[in-house]
Amino acid sequence: SQTIHQWPATLVQPVGSPLSLECTVEGTSNPNLYWYRQAAGRGLQLLFYSVGIGQISSEVPQNLSASRPQDRQFILSSKKLLLSDSGFYLCAWSVLGRFWGYTFGSGTRLTVV
Amino acid sequence: EDKVVQSPLSLVVHEGDTVTLNCSYEVTNFRSLLWYKQEKKAPTFLFMLTSSGIEKKSGRLSSILDKKELFSILNITATQTGDSAIYLCAADREYGNKLVFGAGTILRVKS
């Protein structure tokens, strides 16, 4: 069965510090991978998506970047965090051609102080 | 620009009440409409609606899509405190599996 792992679950980081959030998927090959951010109690904003290794599309200009070094690994990074980067970050996957919605990871709650 | 609008933004009801959550969409190359429930962490899948007028049911939850008027509703009957959550609506488009999410409806069920 397919599973998605996301870590860490919570993170408190000072302004100006770097960030690395990791997401891995098991039990499937060549998934589409996504990073979403959710403001407190609100909907999801798509940040990045990837259809394959090294292929990253950015949806909104921001202080963040994403990378996909392996087929089932998706990393969200920042060189210098801003206060506005605080939020709940969700990784998700789907399979091209057999789309039945996303499967989400458990999320990372990031607080920038 | 593609958009999904949910209403109301928040709702407080008592146990046993019936609630209707609304979702309207304007999406190019629309393919399907999805509903998710989010409690504390990851959103969990509820329904995917592709055809107009066909109700989908799961226990006390049901949903229907109107592709002519571009909206969907999610009904919850005999609400329970465990139904308290954010309910997210999302539209899927042809040509690329990227969901467009609404802002969500925060439902609180009081005992």
Side-chain angles (χ1 to χ4, degrees):
Chain A
S1 64
Q2 301 93 352
T3 57
I4 179 167
H5 303 279
Q6 188 179 341
W7 68 92
T10 60
L11 194 58
V12 180
Q13 292 283 98
V15 168
S17 64
L19 173 74
S20 181
L21 303 181
E22 189 162 344
C23 172
T24 60
V25 180
E26 296 178 359
T28 187
S29 297
N30 197 30
N32 292 340
L33 295 172
Y34 310 85
W35 279 111
Y36 279 85
R37 177 168 59 200
Q38 185 176 33
R42 300 281 23 126
L44 277 62
Q45 178 189 36
L46 179 62
L47 301 177
F48 300 96
Y49 74 97
S50 170
V51 298
I53 295 174
Q55 300 179 62
I56 309 294
S57 295
S58 174
E59 289 292 300
V60 293
Q62 59 207 310
N63 183 41
L64 302 167
S65 62
S67 62
R68 185 168 177 174
Q70 300 179 43
D71 180 45
R72 287 170 285 181
Q73 183 185 31
F74 204 23
I75 297 172
L76 183 69
S77 304
S78 173
K79 292 182 180 178
K80 289 186 177 182
L81 284 169
L82 306 172
L83 287 174
S84 58
D85 292 322
S86 294
F88 189 53
Y89 289 83
L90 283 160
C91 178
W93 73 271
S94 69
V95 176
L96 185 65
R98 290 189 284 123
F99 187 70
W100 59 87
Y102 296 160
T103 300
F104 286 91
S106 55
T108 297
R109 188 161 305 282
L110 170 66
T111 303
V112 182
V113 297
Chain B
E1 182 182 342
D2 294 333
K3 64 179 179 180
V4 174
V5 178
Q6 290 186 246
S7 64
L9 292 181
S10 64
L11 191 57
V12 181
V13 300
H14 289 93
E15 272 193 313
D17 288 349
T18 294
V19 298
T20 298
L21 308 183
N22 303 294
C23 175
S24 64
Y25 62 91
E26 291 179 32
V27 172
T28 53
N29 301 312
F30 173 81
R31 179 165 60 183
S32 60
L33 194 290
L34 295 92
W35 285 95
Y36 287 86
K37 177 183 181 181
Q38 184 181 24
E39 295 180 79
K40 293 192 176 173
K41 292 190 174 179
T44 54
F45 174 79
L46 294 175
F47 298 109
M48 174 186 270
L49 304 158
T50 305
S51 300
S52 209
I54 298 175
E55 184 182 54
K56 291 209 171 180
K57 291 196 64 147
S58 177
R60 295 176 293 103
L61 277 66
S62 64
S63 184
I64 197 162
L65 175 67
D66 185 329
K67 292 172 76 171
K68 181 179 177 184
E69 299 298 328
L70 308 183
F71 78 91
S72 173
I73 59 171
L74 174 68
N75 279 320
I76 308 174
T77 59
T79 52
Q80 303 171 359
T81 55
D83 295 326
S84 297
I86 300 173
Y87 289 85
L88 296 164
C89 167
D92 171 37
R93 299 167 292 189
E94 300 277 1
Y95 318 125
N97 302 147
K98 290 190 294 176
L99 294 177
V100 180
F101 281 88
T105 294
I106 302 172
L107 174 64
R108 181 178 163 214
V109 181
K110 297 169 70 173
S111 58

